[in-house]
C-alpha cells in the first residue's frame, strides 16, 4: 500500500493558445457513412482500404499550401484562454459547437490530433513530455459508466485505496456529494436498477475527485441534477478548487444565473468551433450588447445569461462578425496580456516543480517516480483481485449456474462412461472421456470471454486517473479465476475420474488433474490474450472459435498424426496445448494397462474358433497369437503418443500459458479500444450518398456547413421553423384526444437486499388535457419512481388508486401513454426517420391508414426540428447522435404515437438552455392540442418554468410537499421573491432539497417534517381532494381499446424488417457468422483434403470426423447470436414492451425470421467449401441430401440459440448454460461412444439427440456403397492352423461378419480387413443407409420444436422461485405494505370519524 498521503502544495493552472483541431483529410468534420454487410463486402472486393490509403496520401500532399499551412477543415480553431489556480471556467456553445471535443482536447489525449500551432500547458509543463502529469489532469466524460452490479463503496473503495486515501477523507467526499445513504446500493445502469441518474452522476464526480488532481475537466457534471443539488455541487467544486489551488473546466448544457455566478470565467464557442468570448460571466452580457449587432436580453421573460449567449451565436448568421469583434476587442487584449504574464506568474521552480516533488513523494517505493500510478503494481493487483471477488459476489447467480453445469456434466460424463472395462472396445472410449475432460473446460473458458472485454471504458478511465494499470486488472481477473478454475476442475475431474473407472492410482489421478487444470488455465489465458487484441466481443469470439476448432482438429483425436498435413503437424507439435494435454492424459492412463480383446474385436471368433494361437485382435497395437493388447503399444500405433513426453508437455504448456498471459497483459496496457470523442453516422440513403459523393469531389470543404447544420435530409434550420416551434399559438396539424389521469394516496414499497424501503408516501394529484404538470424534487426524491408507478412499470408493492377517465387503467392505457424515459434507448442501427416510422406504424390507432401514419412522421420531424437529421443513425454516444438529438428523438418517438397522456422523465437533461426551452414549449404546445402531460424537470430556467401549468413537489422519501398551480407554489411556502427575475423553480427545489442526504448547502433550514405537515393540513390539499373527486367520475363516452395498436401480423412484419436491418448493418455480427462459415470448412477441408477419394479405414474415419467437426461451429454461431439477442431484448423489455409497441409473438417471430437469410447463406458457403475440398462424390442425390441436412442443421442451431438465450435474462448465466447443452449433445452423437457402448439407462438420450441424427444421416449417405481397401497398418494379422488356407479357415467367420481377406490362399499369415464397404463400416456404428430420410425428418422436427420453445419461453420466461431470493426471517414488500397500509387507513378513518363528530356537535 502507498504511504499516508502527504498534502499537495497546490494544483496547476491551465493555459491554451492557438488551439486548433483538424478534421481528417477528405472528411467533413466528424461525419461518416454507416458500414453495412453489403458495403463492407464491396469495399473488400474493390480494395477499398488500399484505394483510401493512396487517395488520402495524395490529398494530404495537395492540402499543403504555400508556407506549409494546412487547408483542411478544422473542428476547432483559434481557441485561447487561461484558467488560474482556484478558478472555474465554463465552456458553452450552441448544439453544433464542439464544446465536449474542446474539453477533451484540453486534457491532451493521445487520440486527438492537434495542429502544429496548438499549445497547451499546465504550469508550463505539457503532458507529452511529462507523463507523470497524466493523472494530474483528469477528464470526466458525460457518460456515467460503472460496473453496474457493484455497490457504490465496493466500486470506489479500491480506487481510493490505490491512492492511499484515508478513510475519513473518503467519507468526507462521499458526504460532501450527498451519497452517504447510497454506499451500499448498486450503481446500476439504464437497463438495471441501482442509483438514480443524479446519484450516478455524483458517483462519477466522486471517482474523479478521489484523484486529488491538479486540473479537472468535467463534461456536463450537472446533468441529471436538480438546480439546488447542482448549485451545491458547483459551490463545493469552487471551494475545492480554491482551497487546493486547482483549475477546473466545466461544460454545462444549461445553467441558471445562480449557477453561472459560481464560475470565474466563461468561454463561448460559435457553432463552427471558433471562440467568440473569453472572460468574466459578469461582463459577458454587456460585451455582447456593446457589439452593435442588436443583441437584447429578454429579462422580463426570465431569459438567463446562458440563454442570451446562445441566442447571440445561434444559427451562425453572425459568426464572422462575432469572431472579428472578439479578436479586436479589449477583452481579448486583456486575455492575451494574461497569457503573456502566465510565465512570470507561475515560474517552474515555484509552481510545477513543487507539485511534481509532492506527487513523487506520494508514490510507493516500488513505483517509478515518473509513473502516473501511486501504488505498486502488486498492490494494484491485490486491490483489483478483491474487487474482482466483489464482482463475482454481485453476480452470484451466474457462478451458481456455472457450478450447477459443472456438476451436471461431470455426473453425465461419469455415468455415460460408467466404469469402463479394461477391454479393447473401451480403448477408444477412454480417449473420448479424456478428451471430454479437456474440452469441457475449454467451453467454460470461452464463456468468460465477455467478462474479459466488458468495462473497457472504465478500465481506460481508471488508468488515466492513475488508479490502476490495465495490465493489473488483466492479472487480477486471472488471479480471481485461478481458484474458480481450480474448483471447477476438481469438481468435474474428480467425479468424472471416479465414475468412469479410470486407473485407481493417486499418482495417475494427480497427473490427470494437473493437466486438466493447466489446460483450462492455458486456454483461458489464450482467450484473454485474443480478447486483448479484439475491439469487440464478435471479433474475439470469431478468433477464439476458429482457434478452438484448429486446436481440436490438431489434437490427434480426430485425425492421427501420421495422417496430418504438414501445417497441422506443426500446430500439433508447436502450438496446440490441447494436443499436449491429450497425449499426457492418454499416456498416463494407458501406461501399464493391458487390454483384454473384446469378443467383437477378436478375429476370427465364433464357436469353432477357440484357440488364441490362431486368433488376433483388431485393435491397433495387437500382436498375432495374443488376445491381450498393451496400452502403450496401442497409443504408439494409433496416435504416436508416448509416456516419456508428459513432463515435457507439462513444462511447455506452463510456458505457453505464461506467454499467452504476458502478451495479453502487455497488450491491455497499449490497446484499450475504449470509445472516445464523438462523430455523426449517416445511413446510406440516396440523398446521403449523393451528398457524400459531392463531398468527395470537393475535398469535403464545400459541403461542410450543410452536413453540420442542414444534414442530409433538409436545409439548415431556418428562422421560420424556430419561431414556429417557439410560438405557442401555432396550430397543431392534428388535434389529439387526451385523458384525465388521477392518482390518490399512491404509495410504493420495494424489496432491497437488506431491507424493504418505502419510496412513495401517499402521493396524490392529477393531470388533464390541455395542461402540463412539472414534477419537481431533489435527486432521489422519487420523481422517476412516481412516473414509473403511474405508467405501470414500477416493481414492488403499490397501494392507492390510479384512475384514467374515472376508470381503472384498461389494457390499451399503456399503449396510448407516451413515456419519454430518462435514458435514451433506441435501436442503435436505425435512422431517426426509421425510429419514428416504426413507432407510428405500430402505436397509432389501427383505423388510420399507413399513408396517414407516415405523413404524421413528417409533421413530428418538422415539429421537433429533426428533419435535417432524419437520415442520421442513432448509434452510440461516441458514434451517432449527440445527447441533444437523442433526447429530441426520444420525445419524437412518443409524440408520433399520438398518445393521450405523455410522461416525460427529465426531457431537458443534456440539452442546452435554448433547446431545453424549446422542448418545454413543445410540451406546452402538445398539451394545448389535447394532451395531458407530466414531466420531471431539472434546473429549469425561469422562462422554461413559466411554461408549466401545475407543480407537484416531492421531497426525499417520496413525501409530497405541494400540488397545485405553478403560480401559487412559492407563496404556499412563503418564499415569494421580491426580485421578479429570481427563478421560482430554484426556490422550490431549495425548499424541498435539504433533508440531510443531499449535498450540503442544497436547501433551506426548514425541517422536512414541518413542510410535510403543512401540506397535510393545508387548504390546497382539501382543494386537491375535491378536484380528485370531480375527475374520478367515470366518463362513459371513453371506452378502452385493444392492447396493441397494430395487428399481430403487422407487428411481426415491421419488427422483422427492423431486426433484419439491424443485423445487416451490424457488420461485426454478420461478418462473424460468415467468417466462421468460411474459415472453418476451409480448415476442415485442408485437414482432410480429398480424403473421400481414398478407400482406407483411416480415410473413412477421417470422413466421419469431417462431418463431426461441424458440431464445433455452433459454439461461435450461438455465442454471437446470444450476445445480439440480449442487446435487442434489453431495449424491448426496458421500453418497447411496457409501451405495448409490439408483443411477445412479434419479438419471437422477428428473431426467427431474421436469422433465416444468414442460415441459408452460411450453410451454403460451408457446404460448398467443405464438400468439395474433402472430395465427396459428385452424385446429384448425395449432394442434394447432404446440403438439405446441412441446411436443416444450420436452422436447428440458430433456433436453438434463440430459446437457450430465453432461459435467463442474464448474459453470464446463459453463457454458462451453453456448454451444458453443447457438451451433453456432442457426447451422444455416436462418434465419441457407439450406441452399443452407451449404458442402457442412456440409450434413450442417444435416440433423442439431434446431433446423433445429423451424424447418422450424413454418414449414411456419404459412406454408402463405397469400397474399402485397408492399408497395411490397418490389417489384422494372424496365423491359420496348419494345413488350412486363410480362406478356408475364415470361411465360417466371413459368412456372418463383415470384412475380407487380402489373400485367401495364404497359409502362413492371414491379413484381414474388418470392413469391405462403407456400409460394413457403418454397421459397426449402428448406422444404416435406409435411415437417412428418418434422420432428416427428425432434425426438421427438432428445428420446429426449437421454434415452439422460443415462443413458449418468450411468453413464459423462467423465473427463480420467490423464496430463493427472499431475505430470511424478513417480511416481503407486499406483507409490509399490507400491514402499514391497513394501519394508516384505520388511523385515517378514525381521524375522519372524529372530525365528523366534532362537526355534528358544533352544528
Amino acid at each position: 500500500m502507498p504511504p499516508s498521503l502527504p498534502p499537495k502544495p497546490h494544483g496547476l493552472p491551465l493555459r491554451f493558445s492557438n488551439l486548433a483541431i483538424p478534421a481528417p483529410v477528405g472528411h467533413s468534420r466528424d461525419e461518416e457513412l454507416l458500414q453495412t454487410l453489403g458495403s463492407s463486402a464491396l469495399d473488400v472486393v474493390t480494395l477499398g482500404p488500399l484505394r483510401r490509403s493512396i487517395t488520402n496520401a495524395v490529398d494530404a500532399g495537395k492540402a499543403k499550401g504555400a508556407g506549409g499551412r494546412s487547408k483542411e477543415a478544422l473542428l476547432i480553431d483559434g481557441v485561447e484562454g487561461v484558467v488560474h489556480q482556484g478558478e472555474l471556467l465554463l465552456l458553452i456553445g450552441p448544439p453544433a459547437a464542439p464544446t465536449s471535443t474542446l474539453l477533451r482536447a484540453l486534457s491532451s489525449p493521445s487520440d486527438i490530433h492537434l495542429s502544429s500551432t496548438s499549445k497547451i500547458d499546465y504550469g508550463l509543463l505539457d503532458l507529452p513530455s511529462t507523463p507523470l502529469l497524466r493523472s494530474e489532469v483528469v477528464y470526466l466524460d458525460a457518460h456515467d459508466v460503472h460496473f453496474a452490479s457493484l455497490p457504490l463503496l465496493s466500486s470506489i473503495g479500491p480506487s481510493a485505496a490505490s491512492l492511499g486515501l484515508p478513510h475519513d477523507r473518503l467519507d468526507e467526499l462521499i458526504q460532501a456529494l450527498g451519497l452517504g445513504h447510497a454506499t451500499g446500493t448498486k450503481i446500476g445502469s439504464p437497463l438495471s436498477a441501482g442509483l438514480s441518474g443524479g446519484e450516478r452522476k455524483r458517483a462519477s464526480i466522486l471517482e474523479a475527485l478521489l484523484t486529488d488532481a491538479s486540473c479537472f475537466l468535467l463534461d456536463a457534471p450537472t446533468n441529471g441534477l436538480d438546480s439546488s443539488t447542482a448549485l451545491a455541487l458547483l459551490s463545493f467544486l469552487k471551494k475545492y478548487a480554491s482551497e487546493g489551488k486547482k483549475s477546473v473546466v466545466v461544460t454545462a448544457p444549461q445553467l441558471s444565473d445562480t449557477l453561472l455566478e459560481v464560475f470565474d470565467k466563461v468561454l463561448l464557442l460559435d457553432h463552427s468551433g471558433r471562440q467568440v468570448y473569453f472572460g468574466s460571466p459578469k461582463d459577458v452580457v454587456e460585451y455582447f450588447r456593446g457589439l452593435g449587432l442588436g443583441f437584447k436580453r429578454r429579462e422580463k421573460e426570465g431569459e438567463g445569461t446562458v440563454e442570451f449567449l446562445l441566442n447571440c451565436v445561434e444559427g451562425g448568421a453572425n459568426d464572422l462578425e462575432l469572431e472579428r469583434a472578439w479578436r479586436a476587442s479589449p477583452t481579448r487584449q486583456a486575455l492575451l496580456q494574461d497569457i503573456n504574464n502566465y510565465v512570470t506568474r507561475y515560474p517552474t521552480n515555484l509552481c510545477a516543480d513543487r507539485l511534481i516533488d509532492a506527487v513523487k513523494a506520494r508514490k510507493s517505493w516500488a513505483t517509478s517516480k515518473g509513473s502516473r500510478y501511486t501504488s505498486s503494481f502488486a498492490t494494484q493487483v491485490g486491490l483489483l483481485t478483491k474487487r474482482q471477488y466483489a464482482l463475482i459476489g454481485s453476480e452470484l447467480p451466474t457462478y451458481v449456474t456455472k457450478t450447477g453445469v459443472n456438476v451436471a456434466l461431470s455426473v453425465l460424463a461419469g455415468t455415460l462412461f460408467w466404469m469402463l472395462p479394461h477391454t479393447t472396445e473401451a480403448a477408444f472410449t477412454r480417449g473420448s472421456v479424456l478428451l471430454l475432460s479437456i474440452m469441457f473446460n475449454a467451453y467454460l473458458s470461452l464463456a468468460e470471454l465477455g467478462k474479459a472485454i466488458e468495462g473497457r471504458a472504465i478500465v481506460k478511465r481508471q488508468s488515466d486517473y492513475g488508479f490502476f494499470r490495465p495490465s493489473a486488472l488483466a492479472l487480477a481477473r486471472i488471479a480471481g479465476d485461478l481458484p474458480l478454475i481450480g474448483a471447477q476442475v476438481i469438481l468435474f475431474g474428480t467425479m468424472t475420474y471416479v465414475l468412469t473407472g479410470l486407473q485407481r492410482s493417486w499418482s495417475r489421478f494427480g497427473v490427470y488433474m494437473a493437466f486438466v487444470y493447466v489446460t483450462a488455465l492455458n486456454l483461458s489465458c489464450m482467450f484473454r490474450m485474443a480478447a486483448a487484441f479484439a475491439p469487440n466481443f464478435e471479433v474475439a469470439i470469431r478468433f477464439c472459435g476458429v482457434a478452438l476448432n484448429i486446436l481440436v482438429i490438431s489434437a490427434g483425436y480426430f485425425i492421427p498424426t501420421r495422417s496430418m498435413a504438414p501445417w497441422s503437424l506443426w500446430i500439433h507439435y508447436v502450438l496446440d496445448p490441447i494436443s499436449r494435454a491429450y497425449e499426457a492424459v492418454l499416456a498416463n492412463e494407458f501406461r501399464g494397462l493391458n487390454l483384454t480383446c473384446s469378443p467383437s474385436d477378436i478375429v476370427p471368433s465364433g464357436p469353432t474358433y477357440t484357440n488364441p494361437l490362431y486368433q488376433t485382435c483388431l485393435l491397433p497395437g495387437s500382436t498375432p497369437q495374443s488376445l491381450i493388447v498393451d496400452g502403450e503399444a496401442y497409443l504408439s500405433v494409433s496416435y504416436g503418443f508416448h509416456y516419456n513426453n508428459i513432463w515435457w508437455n507439462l513444462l511447455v504448456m506452463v510456458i505457453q500459458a505464461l506467454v499467452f498471459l504476458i502478451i495479453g497483459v502487455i497488450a491491455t496496457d497499449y490497446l484499450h479500444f475504449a470509445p472516445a470523442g464523438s462523430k455523426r453516422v449517416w445511413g446510406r440513403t440516396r440523398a446521403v450518398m449523393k451528398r457524400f459523393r459531392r463531398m468527395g469531389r470537393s475535398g469535403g470543404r464545400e459541403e461542410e456547413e450543410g452536413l453540420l447544420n442542414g444534414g442530409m435530409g433538409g436545409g439548415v434550420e431556418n428562422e421560420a421553423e424556430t419561431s414556429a416551434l417557439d410560438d405557442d399559438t401555432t396550430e397543431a396539424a392534428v388535434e389529439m384526444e387526451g385523458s384525465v389521469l388521477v392518482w390518490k394516496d399512491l404509495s410504493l414499497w420495494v424489496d432491497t437486499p437488506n431491507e424493504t424501503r418505502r419510496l412513495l408516501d401517499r402521493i396524490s394529484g392529477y393531470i388533464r388535457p390541455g395542461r402540463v404538470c412539472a414534477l419537481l424534487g431533489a435527486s432521489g426524491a422519487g420523481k422517476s419512481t412516481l412516473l414509473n408507478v403511474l405508467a405501470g412499470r414500477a416493481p414492488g408493492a403499490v397501494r392507492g388508486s390510479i384512475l384514467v377517465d374515472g376508470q381503472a387503467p384498461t389494457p390499451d392505457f399503456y399503449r396510448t401513454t407516451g413515456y419519454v424515459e430518462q435514458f435514451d434507448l433506441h435501436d442503435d442501427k436505425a435512422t431517426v426517420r426509421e425510429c419514428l416510422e416504426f413507432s407510428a406504424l405500430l402505436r397509432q390507432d389501427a383505423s388510420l391508414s399507413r399513408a396517414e401514419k407516415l405523413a404524421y412522421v413528417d409533421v413530428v420531424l418538422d415539429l421537433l426540428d429533426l428533419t435535417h437529421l432524419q437520415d442520421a443513425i442513432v448509434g452510440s454516444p461516441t458514434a451517432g447522435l449527440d445527447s441533444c438529438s437523442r433526447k429530441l428523438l426520444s420525445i419524437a418517438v412518443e409524440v408520433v404515437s399520438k398518445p393521450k397522456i405523455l410522461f416525460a422523465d427529465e426531457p431537458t437533461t443534456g440539452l442546452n438552455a435554448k433547446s431545453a426551452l424549446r422542448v418545454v414549449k413543445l410540451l406546452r404546445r402538445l398539451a394545448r392540442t389535447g394532451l395531458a402531460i407530466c414531466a420531471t424537470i431539472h434546473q429549469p430556467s425561469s422562462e422554461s418554468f413559466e411554461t408549466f401549468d401545475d407543480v407537484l413537489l416531492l421531497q426525499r422519501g417520496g413525501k409530497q410537499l405541494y400540488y397545485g398551480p405553478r403560480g401559487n407554489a412559492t407563496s404556499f411556502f412563503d418564499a415569494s421573491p421580491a426580485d421578479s427575475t429570481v427563478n421560482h423553480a430554484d426556490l422550490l427545489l431549495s425548499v424541498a432539497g435539504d433533508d440531510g442526504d443531499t449535498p450540503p448547502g442544497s436547501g433551506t433550514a426548514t425541517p422536512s417534517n414541518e413542510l410535510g405537515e403543512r401540506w397535510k393540513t393545508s387548504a390546497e390539499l382539501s382543494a386537491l381532494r375535491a378536484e380528485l373527486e370531480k375527475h374520478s367520475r367515470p366518463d362513459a363516452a371513453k371506452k378502452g381499446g385493444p392492447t396493441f395498436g397494430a395487428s399481430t401480423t403487422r407487428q411481426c412484419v415491421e419488427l422483422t424488417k427492423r431486426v433484419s436491418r439491424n443485423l445487416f448493418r451490424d457488420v461485426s455480427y454478420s461478418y462473424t457468422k460468415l467468417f466462421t462459415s468460411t474459415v472453418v470448412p476451409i480448415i476442415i477441408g485442408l485437414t482432410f483434403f480429398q480424403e473421400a477419394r481414398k478407400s482406407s479405414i483411416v480415410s473413412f474415419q477421417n470422413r466421419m470426423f469431417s462431418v463431426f467437426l461441424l458440431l464445433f461451429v455452433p459454439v461461435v454461431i450461438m455465442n454471437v447470436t446470444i450476445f445480439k439477442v440480449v442487446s435487442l431484448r434489453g431495449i424491448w423489455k426496458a421500453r418497447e414492451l411496457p409501451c405495448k409497441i409490439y408483443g411477445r409473438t412479434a419479438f419471437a417471430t422477428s428473431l426467427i425470421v431474421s436469422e433465416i437469410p444468414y442460415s441459408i447463406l452460411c450453410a451454403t458457403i460451408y457446404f460448398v467449401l467443405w464438400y468439395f475440398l474433402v472430395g465427396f462424390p459428385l452424385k446429384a442425390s448425395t449432394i442434394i441430401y447432404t446440403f438439405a441436412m446441412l441446411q436443416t442443421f444450420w436452422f436447428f442451431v440458430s433456433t436453438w440459440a434463440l430459446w437457450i438465450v430465453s432461459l435467463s435474462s442474464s448474459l453470464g448465466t446463459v453463457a454458462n448454460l451453453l456448454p451444458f447443452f453443447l457438451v451433453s449433445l456432442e457426447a451422444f452423437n455416436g462418434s465419441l461412444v457407439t450406441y452399443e457402448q452407451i449404458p442402457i439407462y442412456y440409450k434413450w438420450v442417444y435416440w433423442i439427440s439431434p446431433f446423433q441424427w445429423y451424424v447418422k444421416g450424413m454418414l449414411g449417405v456419404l459412406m454408402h456403397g463405397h469400397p474399402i481397401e485397408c492399408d497395411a497398418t490397418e490389417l489384422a494379422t494372424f496365423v491359420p492352423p496348419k494345413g488350412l488356407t486363410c480362406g478356408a479357415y475364415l470361411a465360417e467367420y466371413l459368412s456372418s461378419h463383415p470384412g475380407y481377406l487380402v489373400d485367401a490362399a495364404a497359409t502362413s499369415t492371414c491379413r484381414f480387413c474388418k470392413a469391405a464397404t462403407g456400409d460394413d463400416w457403418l454397421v459397426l456404428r449402428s448406422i444404416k443407409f435406409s435411415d437417412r430420410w428418418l434422420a432428416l425428418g427428425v432434425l426438421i422436427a427438432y428445428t420446429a420444436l426449437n421454434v415452439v420453445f422460443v415462443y413458449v419461453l418468450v411468453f413464459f420466461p423462467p423465473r427463480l422461485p420467490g423464496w430463493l431470493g427472499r431475505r430470511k426471517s424478513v417480511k416481503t414488500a407486499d406483507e409490509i405494505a399490507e400491514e402499514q397500509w391497513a394501519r394508516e387507513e384505520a388511523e385515517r378513518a378514525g381521524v375522519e370519524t372524529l372530525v365528523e363528530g366534532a362537526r355534528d356537535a358544533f352544528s
Side-chain angles (χ1 to χ4, degrees), residues 4-315:
S4 179
L5 293 178
K8 291 182 180 178
H10 49 71
L12 291 174
L14 168 64
R15 178 178 65 169
F16 47 97
S17 59
N18 297 319
L19 187 60
I21 303 177
V25 174
H27 288 256
S28 175
R29 304 208 167 191
D30 288 345
E31 309 279 339
E32 68 176 28
L33 282 171
L34 175 71
Q35 292 298 317
T36 66
L37 177 61
S39 66
S40 298
L42 182 63
D43 192 54
V44 172
V45 171
T46 58
L47 303 178
L50 178 61
R51 287 187 291 104
R52 280 191 296 274
S53 298
I54 296 174
T55 302
N56 287 345
V58 173
D59 290 345
K62 292 180 178 179
K64 298 295 181 180
R69 180 172 174 80
S70 173
K71 295 182 179 179
E72 57 195 347
L74 295 174
L75 299 176
I76 292 173
D77 187 20
V79 176
E80 54 200 0
V82 174
V83 186
H84 294 294
Q85 293 173 333
E87 288 186 342
L88 266 66
L89 167 66
L90 174 66
L91 301 183
I92 55 174
T99 51
S100 294
T101 302
L102 173 59
L103 184 75
R104 200 163 71 89
L106 292 178
S107 69
S108 301
S110 58
D111 58 340
I112 289 186
H113 172 65
L114 302 179
S115 68
S116 57
T117 61
S118 301
K119 295 180 181 179
I120 303 176
D121 69 73
Y122 315 89
L124 300 180
L125 298 178
D126 63 277
L127 265 178
S129 62
T130 318
L132 176 68
L133 283 181
R134 178 69 279 166
S135 60
E136 290 298 309
V137 180
V138 165
Y139 166 75
L140 174 64
D141 63 28
H143 317 302
D144 305 311
V145 181
H146 302 272
F147 291 111
S149 61
L150 275 182
L152 175 62
L153 193 58
S154 298
S155 178
I156 63 171
S159 301
S162 72
L163 301 177
L165 195 70
H167 291 292
D168 56 348
R169 176 56 178 164
L170 176 59
D171 291 339
E172 180 184 337
L173 288 174
I174 291 174
Q175 296 301 328
L177 292 173
L179 293 171
H181 64 285
T183 53
T185 305
K186 290 184 178 181
I187 295 181
S189 71
L191 295 178
S192 60
L195 300 178
S196 69
E199 290 169 336
R200 192 150 54 241
K201 173 61 68 178
R202 281 179 276 154
S204 300
I205 297 171
L206 170 62
E207 185 183 45
L209 294 180
L210 294 178
T211 61
D212 192 26
S214 299
C215 178
F216 289 94
L217 307 162
L218 309 178
D219 196 1
T222 58
N223 273 8
L225 305 182
D226 62 88
S227 56
S228 61
T229 306
L231 176 61
L233 172 66
L234 293 177
S235 299
F236 171 75
L237 288 177
K238 175 62 178 175
K239 178 181 178 183
Y240 181 82
S242 299
E243 293 178 350
K245 296 183 179 179
K246 303 174 187 299
S247 53
V248 180
V249 185
V250 168
T251 66
Q254 53 178 311
L255 284 178
S256 66
D257 285 357
T258 304
L259 300 181
L260 184 62
E261 290 173 1
V262 179
F263 290 90
D264 301 284
K265 295 175 179 176
V266 60
L267 189 156
L268 179 62
L269 294 180
D270 64 18
H271 83 286
S272 57
R274 292 170 176 81
Q275 182 172 324
V276 294
Y277 181 79
F278 184 98
S280 170
K282 299 177 182 178
D283 304 327
V284 65
V285 174
E286 291 304 320
Y287 170 82
F288 278 94
R289 283 175 174 171
L291 294 179
L293 296 176
F295 297 131
K296 295 180 180 180
R297 182 178 176 184
R298 297 178 292 114
E299 296 184 5
K300 292 183 179 180
E301 290 82 0
E303 183 181 58
T305 301
V306 172
E307 296 168 272
F308 167 74
L309 295 179
L310 295 182
N311 282 332
C312 293
V313 296
E314 187 176 19

Side-chain angles (χ1 to χ4, degrees), residues 501-528:
L502 300 179
Q503 293 204 61
R504 301 297 175 85
S505 165
W506 283 109
S507 61
R508 294 178 190 272
F509 176 70
V511 171
Y512 165 83
M513 294 296 290
F515 275 94
V516 173
Y517 180 74
V518 172
T519 305
L521 191 61
N522 193 299
L523 292 173
S524 179
C525 291
M526 184 183 72
F527 294 155
R528 291 175 189 274

Side-chain angles (χ1 to χ4, degrees), residues 340-533:
N340 293 331
N341 295 338
Y342 182 88
V343 177
T344 56
R345 182 170 179 175
Y346 301 106
T348 304
N349 62 325
L350 297 180
C351 182
D353 288 350
R354 292 178 60 192
L355 176 70
I356 293 298
D357 291 341
V359 171
K360 290 180 177 179
R362 289 182 165 212
K363 298 189 180 300
S364 166
W365 63 269
T367 304
S368 168
K369 299 304 180 184
S371 169
R372 79 182 70 161
Y373 304 101
T374 301
S375 57
S376 67
F377 187 77
T379 300
Q380 294 176 36
V381 172
L383 292 170
L384 288 172
T385 302
K386 182 179 178 181
R387 189 182 74 181
Q388 191 66 17
Y389 282 116
L391 271 171
I392 292 171
S394 67
E395 300 172 352
L396 200 56
T398 297
Y399 292 91
V400 170
T401 302
K402 191 173 188 176
T403 303
V405 166
N406 196 313
V407 172
L409 282 179
S410 60
V411 172
L412 177 68
T415 51
L416 174 62
F417 301 97
W418 174 259
M419 291 300 170
L420 295 174
H422 293 187
T423 60
T424 55
E425 71 175 355
F428 184 77
T429 310
R430 285 177 184 271
S432 298
V433 71
L434 291 171
L435 180 70
L436 194 62
S437 299
I438 295 171
M439 290 307 302
F440 168 70
N441 291 288
Y443 278 122
L444 285 187
S445 297
L446 203 60
E448 294 299 316
L449 197 57
K451 295 293 182 184
I453 291 178
E454 74 171 354
R456 283 180 164 172
I458 304 171
V459 175
K460 177 65 168 58
R461 182 179 71 236
Q462 294 186 345
S463 172
D464 289 342
Y465 286 4
F467 295 155
F468 309 109
R469 299 181 69 98
S471 53
L473 178 59
L475 277 180
R477 283 173 168 166
I478 289 290
D481 283 349
L482 282 175
L484 296 177
I485 293 175
Q488 75 188 32
V489 165
I490 291 172
L491 192 61
F492 181 87
T494 302
M495 297 181 70
T496 302
Y497 196 93
V498 172
L499 293 176
T500 56
L502 300 179
Q503 293 204 61
R504 301 297 175 85
S505 165
W506 283 109
S507 61
R508 294 178 190 272
F509 176 70
V511 171
Y512 165 83
M513 294 296 290
F515 275 94
V516 173
Y517 180 74
V518 172
T519 305
L521 191 61
N522 193 299
L523 292 173
S524 179
C525 291
M526 184 183 72
F527 294 155
R528 291 175 189 274
M529 178 189 71
F533 287 91

Side-chain angles (χ1 to χ4, degrees), residues 671-688:
L671 304 173
H672 58 79
F673 297 111
S678 61
K679 57 185 174 183
R680 183 165 292 165
V681 183
W682 296 95
R684 292 177 174 268
T685 64
R686 187 172 300 175
V688 169

